[in-house]
Amino acid sequence: ILNINTLLLNGDLNINQYATFNTNNLNLSLTGNFTNNGIFTSGTTDVTTFNGVTQALVGNNTTFCNLAINPATSVTLQASSNINVNKELRILSGNLIDGGNIITVKGNLINYTAHISSNAASGGILLQGTLNQVISGNGSATPAYFGRLEIDNGAGALLQQDVTINNALTLTSGSVNIDDQLLTIGTNAV
């Protein structure tokens, strides 16, 4: 349990099978890999940030409050590592590679760089909030890139940045308001 300060971890975080890691609403920043084989308990306001070079995320159904992807190169979800983000997912630098896993986001989605789907037919980012979800970026002319993106939110999603989808856009529930943004679906998208 973190009780006082933000944890700045210059290495790996390994949560073993019978162990529990509780953020206690404090931020967690790590430069190594994240492996959850036990219980990871996030708070209601904390941010977990990946700040390394090339990082791996392992562990099925890990739930983060806010998740920031900020590596020099990439963060890759390993096999059987679906994750949930209860609030905001921020892809600030490097690439977020889903490894064919589902990344369920309940809040807004900020993408300055790229989300890459390892499998064109499965995995990807699933927007599944209850309020309108905003998809934004850095406000430049460079679009936010996504592999697979699914909207399953009756309130829909609003683009505040040009977006390019390389693999698939699935509208399960709700709509996408592109406003005055450019939405590009790649030639190989299904």
Side-chain angles (χ1 to χ4, degrees), residues 146-184:
F146 294 97
R148 296 186 82 251
L149 181 63
E150 179 178 351
I151 311 299
D152 186 11
N153 176 349
L158 169 67
L159 298 187
Q160 290 185 341
Q161 173 77 30
D162 291 349
V163 168
T164 297
I165 299 174
N166 293 315
N167 295 104
L169 172 63
T170 303
L171 299 175
T172 301
S173 173
S175 62
V176 176
N177 179 351
I178 61 171
D179 198 25
D180 62 352
Q181 307 302 321
L182 177 64
L183 175 60
T184 305

Side-chain angles (χ1 to χ4, degrees), residues 17-179:
Q17 183 176 2
Y18 300 107
T20 298
F21 184 93
N22 187 333
T23 65
N24 199 32
N25 269 330
L26 297 171
N27 296 334
L28 167 65
S29 177
L30 68 147
T31 61
N33 297 326
F34 178 97
T35 302
N36 180 18
N37 292 314
I39 298 171
F40 176 81
T41 304
S42 65
T44 58
T45 59
D46 56 278
V47 179
T48 301
T49 304
F50 285 77
N51 281 331
V53 177
T54 301
Q55 296 173 270
L57 195 156
V58 181
N60 199 24
N61 294 319
T62 299
T63 298
F64 299 95
C65 180
N66 294 288
L67 179 61
I69 304 300
N70 197 33
T73 306
S74 64
V75 172
T76 302
L77 278 67
Q78 301 302 304
S80 300
S81 295
N82 295 317
I83 63 170
N84 302 294
V85 181
N86 283 336
K87 292 194 177 175
E88 193 170 81
L89 172 60
R90 305 170 193 151
I91 307 169
L92 303 173
S93 69
N95 294 317
L96 173 58
I97 304 169
D98 66 36
N101 296 285
I102 297 171
I103 302 166
T104 302
V105 180
K106 304 286 186 182
N108 294 328
L109 176 57
I110 299 170
N111 185 354
Y112 287 12
T113 59
H115 156 253
I116 297 171
S117 289
S118 301
N119 185 331
S122 66
I125 295 176
L126 169 62
L127 295 182
Q128 201 172 45
T130 56
L131 303 173
N132 189 274
Q133 291 176 270
V134 174
I135 301 171
S136 64
N138 62 9
S140 73
T142 303
Y145 291 94
F146 294 97
R148 296 186 82 251
L149 181 63
E150 179 178 351
I151 311 299
D152 186 11
N153 176 349
L158 169 67
L159 298 187
Q160 290 185 341
Q161 173 77 30
D162 291 349
V163 168
T164 297
I165 299 174
N166 293 315
N167 295 104
L169 172 63
T170 303
L171 299 175
T172 301
S173 173
S175 62
V176 176
N177 179 351
I178 61 171
D179 198 25

